[in-house]
Amino acid sequence: MTQSASTLINAIAQHAKSDLAPLVTAIDQGQYPEQYLRKLGQLGGYSASVPQAQGGQGLDLSVQVEATTLVSRECGSTAFMVWCQSTCAWYLLNAANAAVRERYLAQVASGELLAGTGMSNTVKHLAGIEKINLRATRTEHGYEVNGSLPWVSNIGEDHLAVVAAHVEDEGYIMFAVRCNAPGVTLRRCLPFSGMEGTQTLNVRFDKVTVANDDIIAHPSQFKAYIQRIKPGFVLGQTGMGLGIIEASIESMRATNQTHSHVNVFLDDQAEDLAAELQTLKTQIADLARQAQTGEAPLLDVLKARLATSELALRATQSEVLHTGAKGYLMNHGAQRRQREAVFVAIVTPALKHLRKEINDLERLQAQAA
């Protein structure tokens, strides 16, 4: 790690302990930590992979994953929002059209403009899992978009959303839209069992005008663009899981200071999980550096993301079992981390989605061999 990366990581770690840790319970119960998110952006928490000339840190995606991991050690919900924000910066950094990049990238990378990624439906659609929800038609100066997305996180009236839509007989577009644009309506969702502070809302589009300058990729550019951004999109989420795993292992070690004589009979021990975690972190860091330059093999990326979900589920379950009844109390982090780990396993690409894509890719590779 370079000195500049070390400086960034240390600042984020200290800020998470001083400013985020006291808010965790409130965030879990529904408080949106806007002030923390904006300050994190000022520290560089979303812009590790963005060149300095474009308002970033000039590092790479592996440092961004490490930044998200540090936030997730304290709060998985907030780490998810860090992923939303940094991934929107990733989208804009790699945008096929310069106008949208110049308009929004610096503001998103710095946290001045908060942003949510609404690509879950599209990613599932492209994997053959569900139909796409948004439809677009060409206009003289861009497109008109209609439809709704049930869950988009880290958004609000003064935020930006990055989404995609199907264009009849042409393919797909990906675009940025202000959440207070004419025709955009935000509505509250039913309460979730966790992640309540992520400001996850239903977004409806009713004849929303999207100018060409807000298009990230037109239909002719979309396929190549998705191939470019997908490894970074997927790897960025691993930081959420890695931080949760680290916090669970730390909790298990603390519990073992008094209960190791009985905890030794549990299946997953802290040191075994820690060894698996270190191997996974090394693999993810290597893949993230490759993704920065567009060279990460997608199959390896999907397998690493799958392994992160599986290890997070095991680690958080083991933490609850290690801590016993104490870990089942609402004021203990063990039960919260277990809910957060389940979210890592169901957020797109979900565990079942990952296994489907891995199976599809392996089958194609076998046919080509």
Side-chain angles (χ1 to χ4, degrees):
M1 184 181 290
T2 65
Q3 181 58 43
S4 57
S6 298
T7 301
L8 173 65
I9 290 302
N10 288 338
I12 291 171
Q14 293 173 13
H15 183 234
K17 289 186 178 299
S18 63
D19 289 43
L20 178 58
L23 302 176
V24 171
T25 298
I27 293 169
D28 187 48
Q29 295 173 357
Q31 177 178 314
Y32 179 63
E34 181 173 346
Q35 184 176 352
Y36 172 82
L37 292 172
R38 292 194 184 280
K39 180 62 183 296
L40 182 62
Q42 295 169 14
L43 292 175
Y46 314 123
S47 60
S49 65
V50 178
Q52 291 180 337
Q54 293 171 293
Q57 307 305 307
L59 300 166
D60 63 65
L61 196 61
S62 69
V63 182
Q64 184 60 60
V65 171
E66 178 66 15
T68 307
T69 299
L70 290 169
V71 173
S72 191
R73 283 180 63 105
E74 303 297 337
C75 178
S77 292
T78 305
F80 175 52
M81 290 182 280
V82 172
W83 173 77
C84 290
Q85 186 78 21
S86 61
T87 297
C88 285
W90 176 252
Y91 295 153
L92 293 163
L93 172 64
N94 292 286
N97 300 300
V100 69
R101 181 169 59 249
E102 292 169 1
R103 176 176 291 187
Y104 296 121
L105 176 56
Q107 293 180 72
V108 171
S110 68
E112 177 185 349
L113 176 60
L114 295 176
T117 164
M119 290 296 292
S120 174
N121 169 244
T122 302
V123 171
K124 285 186 282 189
H125 170 71
L126 295 174
I129 295 172
E130 65 183 32
K131 294 181 179 179
I132 195 163
N133 289 354
L134 300 186
R135 303 283 172 172
T137 54
R138 277 195 181 267
T139 63
E140 183 179 355
H141 302 293
Y143 299 85
E144 182 182 278
V145 179
N146 290 278
S148 66
L149 296 171
W151 300 300
V152 181
S153 301
N154 199 43
I155 57 171
E157 292 290 342
D158 58 348
H159 293 199
L160 192 74
V162 179
V163 296
H166 180 255
V167 183
E168 192 70 31
D169 298 325
E170 292 192 59
Y172 307 92
I173 57 169
M174 188 162 165
F175 60 96
V177 61
R178 294 274 188 169
C179 292
N180 59 1
V184 176
T185 303
L186 305 180
R187 298 187 180 183
R188 288 285 172 187
C189 304
L190 293 173
F192 295 103
S193 62
M195 318 302 285
E196 270 294 276
T198 60
Q199 204 150 289
T200 299
L201 305 174
N202 172 280
V203 185
R204 299 191 179 187
F205 294 77
D206 182 15
K207 299 181 180 178
V208 175
T209 298
V210 180
N212 283 319
D213 284 352
D214 284 338
I215 299 297
I216 293 173
H218 288 281
S220 62
Q221 303 163 324
F222 185 83
K223 183 177 179 180
Y225 177 73
I226 287 292
Q227 290 175 343
R228 175 67 181 94
I229 64 165
K230 187 171 180 178
F233 169 97
V234 174
L235 287 168
Q237 292 180 339
T238 62
M240 297 158 49
L242 296 176
I244 292 167
I245 296 164
E246 287 184 355
S248 288
I249 291 171
E250 182 179 331
S251 172
M252 291 163 65
R253 286 171 171 161
T255 299
N256 279 345
Q257 292 180 10
T258 55
H259 288 75
S260 61
H261 61 291
V262 64
N263 284 342
V264 70
F265 293 101
L266 293 170
D267 292 336
D268 289 307
Q269 295 296 306
E271 299 315 314
D272 296 330
L273 292 169
E276 290 185 51
L277 174 63
Q278 187 54 53
T279 299
L280 184 58
K281 288 185 71 173
T282 300
Q283 179 189 9
I284 288 170
D286 289 342
L287 287 169
R289 285 187 284 269
Q290 294 174 51
Q292 185 73 34
T293 56
E295 299 171 344
L298 181 58
L299 184 58
D300 292 345
V301 168
L302 297 173
K303 287 182 176 180
R305 172 68 173 83
L306 175 63
T308 302
S309 288
E310 292 172 338
L311 190 58
L313 291 172
R314 284 172 52 207
T316 54
Q317 176 173 288
S318 189
E319 180 191 1
V320 168
L321 296 176
H322 271 70
T323 54
K326 180 175 62 176
Y328 205 57
L329 296 172
M330 282 302 294
N331 66 356
H332 196 283
Q335 51 76 28
R336 172 176 55 81
R337 279 185 286 274
Q338 191 166 40
R339 288 183 281 113
E340 291 171 346
V342 170
F343 178 78
V344 174
I346 64 173
V347 68
T348 303
L351 190 148
K352 58 189 178 183
H353 177 160
L354 290 162
R355 289 179 179 170
K356 179 186 185 301
E357 279 209 55
I358 290 168
N359 178 75
D360 292 346
L361 281 174
E362 289 181 334
R363 188 174 64 252
L364 287 173
Q365 290 183 2
Q367 291 172 353

